[in-house]
């Protein structure tokens, strides 16, 4: 049976292609949603761009027929715009129908009582889903880009092998493996006779290989646990062009990526011209408003965690005081707000996208399409620390990317587990 899906504004802003994600079912957009898109389209950020993109798609559909009557889609479904719902229902008494959310509810309720098809409200607003439930309306989140975070690919597995096989692995540096593993998946090889003893390996082309950088210092820092060893092995391998690092606060995601980037740019073979570091501008708590100065001055507060890590690395490896400014002035490090990434082509650079859990899958796609020839990109983040109002651990772009590219030869992933920042940071991440 065909269903009628009513889309909230936040679904369209999350993914402009969501109009075409409901197979052969009917999509209804309340006129209040179109008005909200019109108000938002003037914004200069990704949200404003998505609003303009949705408006363009609707205008293209208008060429095929009247949107008020419904326009057919290639997948067999249709899109139509409804003016409003019937305000005379007793169940809606006491509800302020001047609110955009409540106008959407009124339309959904009217269609539910007057149509043949099941009506489902699709919104990323948790409170709107609760209000819909009070009125007896079916409501759900937008699921097409969701993954099961609790089953998220970790990049690591355990294999039990006889003592003789592990000895041969150490002697020859590799070992044939018939297990069904993902490209560049890491393996903890445990002795069948004594499981407490283990070796570390990386899977590639039906063989287990020794870690290429096991135990080596990278720009003055060493891996403190096996997951950090795995991460550095991915970060320093030029054949792996997309790396995703997931982990809670203090596990070393950002500092490992920065250390590998500095190693490759300043002491490498010239493969990368500079490090490009970007992160989403999503405030924690109340926003400070407009900041004075030029672009560099404005983004400095948002990039302060990057400066903290760079300062630590420079003080440990080169010299204290002024090193970061020198590297920025000489073009070896570039700090960029995500707002200015669109439209760029970025060749021969070591790109780090920090705090990627605050990005939608659509924005992640936008960033990936900016990567030019000879570049490597690293996404870091903690899906359990999301500041974006309409994203969660399962729907954010970082989790989505990990699952979608895990089978690609040019990508690698590792989930960092143990906090190494300090005892206090580990205690806070674990207990609070």
């Amino acid at each position: 049976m065909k269903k009628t899906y009513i889309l909230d504004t936040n679904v369209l802003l999350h993914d402009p292609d969501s109009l075409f994600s409901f197979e052969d079912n009917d999509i209804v957009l309340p006129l209040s949603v179109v008005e909200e898109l019109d108000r938002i389209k003037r914004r200069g950020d990704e949200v404003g761009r998505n609003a303009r993109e949705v408006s363009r798609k609707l205008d293209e559909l208008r060429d095929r027929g009247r949107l008020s009557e419904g326009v057919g889609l290639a997948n067999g479904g249709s899109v139509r715009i409804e003016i409003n719902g019937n305000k005379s229902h007793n169940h809606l008494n006491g509800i302020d129908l001047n609110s955009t959310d409540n106008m959407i509810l009124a339309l959904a309720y009217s269609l539910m009582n007057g149509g043949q098809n099941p009506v489902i409200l699709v919104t990323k607003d948790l409170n709107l889903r609760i209000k819909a439930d009070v009125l007896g309306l079916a409501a759900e989140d937008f699921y097409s880009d969701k993954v099961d975070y609790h089953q998220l690919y970790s990049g690591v597995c355990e294999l039990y092998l006889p003592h003789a096989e592990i000895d041969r692995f150490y002697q020859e540096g590799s070992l044939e493996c018939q297990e069904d593993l993902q490209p560049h998946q890491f393996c903890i090889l445990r002795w069948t006779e004594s499981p407490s003893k283990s070796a570390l390996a990386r899977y590639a082309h039906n063989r287990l290989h020794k870690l290429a950088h096991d135990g080596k210092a990278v720009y003055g820092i060493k891996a403190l646990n096996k997951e950090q060893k795995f991460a550095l092995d991915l970060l320093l391998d030029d054949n792996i062009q997309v790396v995703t690092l997931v982990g809670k606060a203090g596990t070393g995601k950002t500092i490992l990526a920065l250390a590998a980037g500095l190693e490759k740019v300043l002491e490498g073979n010239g493969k990368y011209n500079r490090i490009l570091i970007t992160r989403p501008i999503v405030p924690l708590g109340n926003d400070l408003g407009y900041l004075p100065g030029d672009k560099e001055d404005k983004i400095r507060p948002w990039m302060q965690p990057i400066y903290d890590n760079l300062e630590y690395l420079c003080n440990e490896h080169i010299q204290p005081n002024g090193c970061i400014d020198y590297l920025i002035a000489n073009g070896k490090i570039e700090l960029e707000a995500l707002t200015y990434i669109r439209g760029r082509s970025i060749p021969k650079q070591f790109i780090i996208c920090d705090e990627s859990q605050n990005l939608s899958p659509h924005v992640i796609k936008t960033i990936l399409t900016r990567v030019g020839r000879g570049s490597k990109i690293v996404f870091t983040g903690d899906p359990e620390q999301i500041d974006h109002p309409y994203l969660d651990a399962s729907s954010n772009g970082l989790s989505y990317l990990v699952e979608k590219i895990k089978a690609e030869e040019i990508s690698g992933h590792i989930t960092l587990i143990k906090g190494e920042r300090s005892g206090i940071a580990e205690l806070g991440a674990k207990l609070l």
Side-chain angles (χ1 to χ4, degrees):
M1 179 183 291
K2 269 196 171 187
K3 300 181 181 67
T4 298
Y5 288 97
I6 301 175
L7 304 192
D8 193 3
T9 316
N10 49 53
V11 174
L12 299 170
L13 296 177
H14 177 76
D15 182 4
D17 289 324
S18 58
L19 283 169
F20 314 106
S21 300
F22 293 88
E23 299 177 341
D24 60 347
N25 297 296
D26 297 326
I27 296 171
V28 173
L29 300 181
L31 187 61
S32 56
V33 166
V34 179
E35 292 173 343
E36 202 166 16
L37 291 173
D38 188 56
R39 289 194 296 270
I40 294 171
K41 71 181 183 184
R42 296 171 181 81
R43 289 175 51 169
D45 56 7
E46 187 72 19
V47 173
R49 193 209 71 85
N50 286 352
R52 294 189 294 274
E53 181 68 18
V54 174
S55 297
R56 280 193 291 269
K57 291 180 185 298
L58 290 173
D59 192 48
E60 291 171 2
L61 291 173
R62 192 172 60 84
D63 293 337
R64 305 183 197 173
R66 295 180 62 86
L67 285 170
S68 59
E69 299 172 358
V71 176
L73 301 176
N75 57 12
S78 68
V79 174
R80 77 176 188 270
I81 296 176
E82 289 273 357
I83 295 179
N84 51 41
N86 188 342
K87 301 181 181 181
S88 62
H89 292 293
N90 294 330
H91 286 76
L92 301 179
N93 291 338
I95 294 179
D96 179 14
L97 292 176
N98 293 316
S99 159
T100 300
D101 283 355
N102 291 342
M103 280 192 267
I104 295 172
L105 286 174
L107 173 60
Y109 193 83
S110 177
L111 293 177
M112 181 183 71
N113 285 278
Q116 300 295 321
N117 298 340
V119 175
I120 301 170
L121 173 62
V122 182
T123 176
K124 301 193 77 63
D125 187 336
L126 178 61
N127 287 321
L128 186 55
R129 296 202 296 269
I130 293 172
K131 288 197 285 186
D133 187 76
V134 171
L135 293 173
L137 291 166
E140 61 185 43
D141 198 351
F142 180 59
Y143 289 111
S144 77
D145 55 3
K146 279 205 169 193
V147 298
D148 185 355
Y149 175 68
H150 298 291
Q151 300 296 324
L152 190 69
Y153 173 61
S154 69
V156 182
C157 70
E158 289 190 354
L159 296 178
Y160 288 84
L161 299 175
H163 177 269
E165 288 287 288
I166 294 183
D167 279 349
R168 189 154 62 88
F169 169 75
Y170 275 119
Q171 292 168 4
E172 299 178 6
S174 67
L175 189 68
E176 187 175 355
C177 179
Q178 299 301 325
E179 298 287 336
D180 184 19
L181 303 178
Q182 301 293 352
H184 309 296
Q185 186 169 356
F186 292 94
C187 302
I188 302 172
L189 308 180
R190 298 196 181 278
W191 295 12
T192 306
E193 299 85 354
S194 180
S196 61
K197 297 180 180 180
S198 62
L200 305 180
R202 190 172 90 185
Y203 175 81
H205 306 296
N206 297 319
R207 294 191 72 83
L208 298 172
H209 301 269
K210 280 186 178 180
L211 302 189
H213 304 280
D214 189 5
K216 296 179 183 178
V218 178
Y219 213 76
I221 66 169
K222 284 189 174 183
L224 300 178
N225 55 59
K226 60 181 181 297
E227 286 81 18
Q228 289 191 356
K229 289 181 180 180
F230 297 155
L232 286 176
D233 212 60
L234 295 175
L235 291 167
L236 296 172
D237 189 340
D238 293 335
N239 295 317
I240 300 178
Q241 298 169 272
V242 183
V243 176
T244 49
L245 302 179
V246 168
K248 60 187 178 183
T251 51
K253 307 178 297 294
T254 304
I255 199 167
L256 290 173
L258 288 171
L262 290 168
E263 180 85 13
K264 285 293 183 179
V265 170
L266 301 182
E267 301 183 9
N269 54 9
K271 181 174 177 61
Y272 306 108
N273 294 331
R274 68 169 62 88
I275 306 174
L276 173 63
I277 306 166
T278 186
R279 70 201 314 255
I281 296 177
V282 180
L284 177 61
N286 294 328
D287 197 352
L288 295 175
Y290 289 105
L291 298 170
D294 56 18
K295 185 184 79 172
E296 285 71 25
D297 294 328
K298 289 179 186 297
I299 67 173
R300 177 89 189 221
W302 305 104
M303 294 290 184
Q304 194 56 49
I306 301 297
Y307 279 96
D308 293 341
N309 282 303
L310 286 173
E311 183 179 3
Y312 174 79
L313 289 169
C314 288
N315 290 351
E316 288 289 309
H317 192 63
I318 305 181
Q319 60 183 23
N321 305 323
C323 175
I324 301 172
D325 295 332
Y326 173 81
L327 293 174
I328 293 174
N330 283 271
K332 294 301 181 183
I333 296 178
E334 180 183 359
L335 303 175
E336 186 68 284
L338 270 176
T339 308
Y340 305 108
I341 288 290
R342 179 172 295 281
R344 293 187 60 179
S345 180
I346 310 172
K348 294 194 68 176
Q349 296 185 34
F350 194 101
I351 308 166
I352 300 173
C353 184
D354 196 31
E355 300 291 340
S356 304
Q357 78 276 3
N358 284 317
L359 302 175
S360 69
H362 186 74
V363 177
I364 291 283
K365 177 183 175 181
T366 300
I367 297 170
L368 279 175
T369 56
R370 300 300 97 213
V371 179
R373 291 186 180 275
S375 286
K376 182 188 186 91
I377 186 165
V378 182
F379 293 93
T380 69
D382 177 8
E384 296 184 10
Q385 277 194 334
I386 293 179
D387 303 313
H388 193 289
Y390 295 128
L391 297 178
D392 57 31
S394 297
S395 65
N396 71 89
L398 180 59
S399 297
Y400 184 74
L401 179 65
V402 169
E403 283 297 322
K404 286 296 181 180
I405 67 167
K406 64 184 180 183
E408 301 298 323
E409 286 287 346
I410 63 168
S411 71
H413 168 74
I414 192 68
T415 298
L416 299 161
I417 299 172
K418 187 178 179 183
E420 300 288 359
R421 179 175 291 160
S422 68
I424 296 174
E426 174 70 3
L427 188 67
K430 182 178 179 180
L431 298 182
L432 303 181

